[in-house]
Amino acid sequence: KIPMKYNETYWSLGPESVEYLLNTPHAVFIERGDEAPWAFCHAGMTYKKFDQDPQAFIRNRFISRDPVSGRLLPAQSKNVDGKWYVPEGAKEWYEYWDGRWKVVYGHSVYKEPKIANNTFGIDLGCCFGGYLCALILDPGEPFKFEYVKSNFKYEQQETEGT
């Protein structure tokens, strides 16, 4: 899928860059001693963890419970007149996470890192003029966050729940 907003950048990529992007993993998993393993992904995880559709790692933000079957299903946001809406009753994916893995994710913009159920939302809206945030894992040390303020000016900045 070609990002519509930046398609000139996409078309300027060389074959090596395109090949690299096509072959990158949807998620990266690491273990640190005896603590819960870590997973790093773009958007989130589903209750299926490793058996999920690879697109869920990239796009998953909200989950809803099917009223008939009781199954948890990815919820699709809807665009109405240029504004995105989450379906009624949908919750952010981490609210259903069981916490056995520590998951670092982006794609949902927050004003500060969001920590819940062993998940760490680190998207602080750099592309909207916010901050670039990194979670640092130094051996033998507790995790920490590092921040860099964006120089980008975005006129319609929206955070927390966009």
Side-chain angles (χ1 to χ4, degrees):
K1 184 174 182 181
I2 300 170
M4 294 183 293
K5 191 172 184 180
Y6 301 107
N7 62 2
E8 65 278 352
T9 302
Y10 175 83
W11 290 113
S12 69
L13 293 173
E16 299 85 15
S17 296
V18 171
E19 186 68 22
Y20 171 79
L21 292 171
L22 289 173
N23 289 297
T24 56
H26 290 94
V28 174
F29 304 94
I30 64 169
E31 295 193 30
R32 284 184 79 207
D34 59 355
E35 66 181 52
W38 291 79
F40 297 81
C41 60
H42 176 76
M45 301 276 253
T46 68
Y47 63 95
K48 293 181 180 180
K49 295 177 187 70
F50 311 108
D51 294 328
Q52 67 186 2
D53 180 337
Q55 288 296 312
F57 290 117
I58 299 169
R59 305 203 185 289
N60 191 41
R61 291 173 61 191
F62 298 96
I63 294 178
S64 58
R65 188 175 295 280
D66 182 281
V68 176
S69 69
R71 292 180 54 212
L72 295 174
L73 302 169
Q76 298 297 316
S77 299
K78 304 220 182 312
N79 187 329
V80 178
D81 297 325
K83 183 147 176 96
W84 287 93
Y85 293 91
V86 177
E88 188 174 333
K91 296 180 181 179
E92 291 201 64
W93 70 272
Y94 62 76
E95 292 188 39
Y96 292 105
W97 187 246
D98 64 18
R100 284 184 275 173
W101 283 75
K102 295 178 180 180
V103 181
V104 180
Y105 67 97
H107 199 60
S108 293
V109 178
Y110 303 105
K111 293 182 182 183
E112 59 187 39
K114 177 74 172 184
I115 302 174
N117 293 343
N118 253 0
T119 69
F120 304 82
I122 63 169
D123 188 335
L124 303 187
C126 185
C127 68
F128 300 117
Y131 288 85
L132 178 65
C133 178
L135 185 139
I136 308 297
L137 294 175
D138 285 326
E141 300 288 327
F143 72 86
K144 63 182 177 182
F145 297 106
E146 294 287 338
Y147 309 90
V148 176
K149 176 73 174 132
S150 172
N151 291 327
F152 185 76
K153 303 294 183 217
Y154 188 80
E155 296 170 8
Q156 299 173 333
Q157 180 175 357
E158 293 183 25
T159 59
E160 191 66 44
T162 59

